[in-house]
Amino acid sequence: MAFPKKKLQGLVAATITPMTENGEINFSVIGQYVDYLVKEQGVKNIFVNGTTGEGLSLSISERRQVAEEWVTKGKDKLDQVVIHVGALSLKESQELAQHAAEIGADGIAVIAPFFLKPWTKDILINFLKEVAAAAPALPFYYYHIPALTGVKIRAEELLDGIQDKIPTFQGLKFSDTDLLDFGQCVDQNRQQQFAFLFGVDEQLLSALVMGATGAVGSTYNYLGKKTNQMLEAFERKDLSLALNYQFCIQRFINFVVKLGFGVSQTKAIMTLVSGIPMGPPRLPLQKASREFTDSAEAKLKSLDFLSFADLKDGSLEASS
Ligand SMILES: CC(=O)N[C@@H]([C@@H](O)[C@H](O)[C@H](O)CO)[C@@H](O)CC(=O)C(=O)O
């Protein structure tokens, strides 16, 4: 299998799909977006067409074009491009998986189908296996996001013996707050070289302690540099500094969550921080309000997140 030499690790930005004011995909800014992630945020891995990318709100043809554009523009700049190919239709998912392989993506990820749902581990595995088989040379990641799919099969259960069924299985993207489930996934698979990618940005430090090998999230688009500083502090075993970074990031996320935070708001914040127009979201999502953007901007400034100034140890008490 032509698997990447390097395991997927560190920060992975869940990319936004930029759109024009009239709701079409704005492919023209993707090159600039790649450069921004690499140069300004130090983020060299991306997760395309996921939740943040409104993947399930795009047509299959649009998903193919978006994936292609990121792979093309990321060539020789990004380390890994993982394409989310989950869909309600197995056929569509397989088509997208095959397409990801053809365009040279580094991996595919799949959520559980969420309308007619799999109710047991074996049924879910059967679905995932069929998708993975459509791209037999690509690393496969299961994208666990039970709050959105409604499929509550524990990841720990799913991972038990998974490589016997899906030989290309390489890791888990865990977008849930159940750290017991996450910890057990790590603990019970220590002999494997799986990637354990955590997807709740405001709790990443706790997941690192549990053994996360990386993280996929929306905030790494604009808080990647700050989060990388937290990862470095953790790596150096400077837990006190790492916690300062995590608390600082939490202050921002907590603030926006109270205002109402989702993909629309992520688009607005990214436009503000990067200067690259992300445009409105697609229906049924609604554009973030001006009031939200102004409040988020004020908070980012108060936390020094717009100047990217380094956080000093002890600044915990200084900012609010
Ligand atoms: C539900 C949701 O959108 N979760 C985000 C987080 O990054 C989330 O925005 C962040 O933790 C703030 O709550 C990611 O897990 C989603 C993600 O990785 C994706 O876009 O595929």
Side-chain angles (χ1 to χ4, degrees), residues 14 47 50-52 143 145 173 175 199-202 216-218 253 261:
F47 187 87
T51 307
T52 307
Y143 180 1
I145 184 157
K173 168 172 160 22
S175 284
V200 184
D201 313 3
E202 53 276 40
V216 185
S218 70
I253 297 180
F261 181 68

